Amino acid sequence: MKFLSTLLILSSLLFSCNSPAQKSKAVEKETFKVTKTDAEWKAQLSPAAYNVLRHEGTERAFTSALNDNHKTGTYVCAGCNTPVFESKYKFNSGTGWPSFDRPIEGNVAFATDTKIGYTRTEAHCTTCGGHLGHVFNDGPKDTTGERHCINGVALKFIPEKK
């Protein structure tokens, strides 16, 4: 009997209200300033950007040209051109993804992600809801301590005008 009780409790925790499927539905129902049909997103974005921005995928590490970009400028959401990160807050994390110690305030929203078996903080564009990446607490200790680990295909780089 004790085994069945334990199994019942574990099952209820596994399928609780915070399941990834329910979270995804909640994000889809949220209204953003920029909304498009799935077909419109597919037509606008590359297959890789579509997978990351619209289906919360992850690009392979060390595949983005933006990972080694050291120019001065602004990184914008590849889905809607909302400025999301400034180059002055970019750092080399050694992880293979563009990393920043902070976003542009108000342009990146955060949610809890438990899809891979543990809790992470997920970063989304506030304008179109596009998935940008995740936030970890192993960033530079002399600034925010945060590492915004961002998929390069979710970004476009706009160089600073001289």
Side-chain angles (χ1 to χ4, degrees):
M1 187 67 165
K2 185 174 181 174
F3 172 76
L4 288 176
S5 296
T6 304
L7 184 59
L8 182 61
I9 290 169
L10 288 174
S11 296
S12 66
L13 288 173
L14 184 62
F15 298 105
S16 69
C17 294
N18 292 325
S19 76
Q22 290 177 345
K23 179 198 163 288
S24 296
K25 289 177 186 173
V27 170
E28 287 174 8
K29 290 179 182 177
E30 190 171 336
T31 303
F32 297 98
K33 290 178 189 174
V34 173
T35 58
K36 297 181 182 190
T37 66
D38 196 51
E40 290 171 323
W41 285 120
K42 278 185 179 179
Q44 174 189 330
L45 301 168
S46 71
Y50 173 78
N51 180 51
V52 169
L53 286 163
R54 306 321 307 168
H55 291 286
E56 300 175 349
T58 301
E59 70 185 353
R60 284 185 332 198
F62 300 102
T63 59
S64 173
L66 294 179
N67 188 43
D68 290 322
N69 180 31
H70 302 287
K71 297 175 185 170
T72 302
T74 303
Y75 293 85
V76 301
C77 172
C80 67
N81 296 319
T82 295
V84 286
F85 296 97
E86 295 180 44
S87 62
K88 65 184 174 182
Y89 299 118
K90 187 172 186 279
F91 66 97
N92 182 1
S93 66
T95 62
W97 289 278
S99 297
F100 305 84
D101 73 353
R102 70 196 74 177
I104 293 176
E105 193 171 331
N107 291 355
V108 178
F110 304 98
T112 301
D113 170 12
T114 58
K115 288 186 280 303
I116 63 171
Y118 63 92
T119 302
R120 301 182 295 176
T121 300
E122 190 170 56
H124 286 270
C125 172
T126 58
T127 303
C128 71
H131 169 77
L132 301 171
H134 292 88
V135 184
F136 302 96
N137 291 320
D138 59 1
K141 299 297 179 208
D142 58 333
T143 61
T144 65
E146 295 179 349
R147 173 174 54 98
H148 294 254
C149 186
I150 306 301
N151 292 282
V153 295
L155 303 173
K156 290 185 212 171
F157 178 72
I158 310 297
E160 181 178 76
K161 294 180 182 175
K162 295 181 181 183

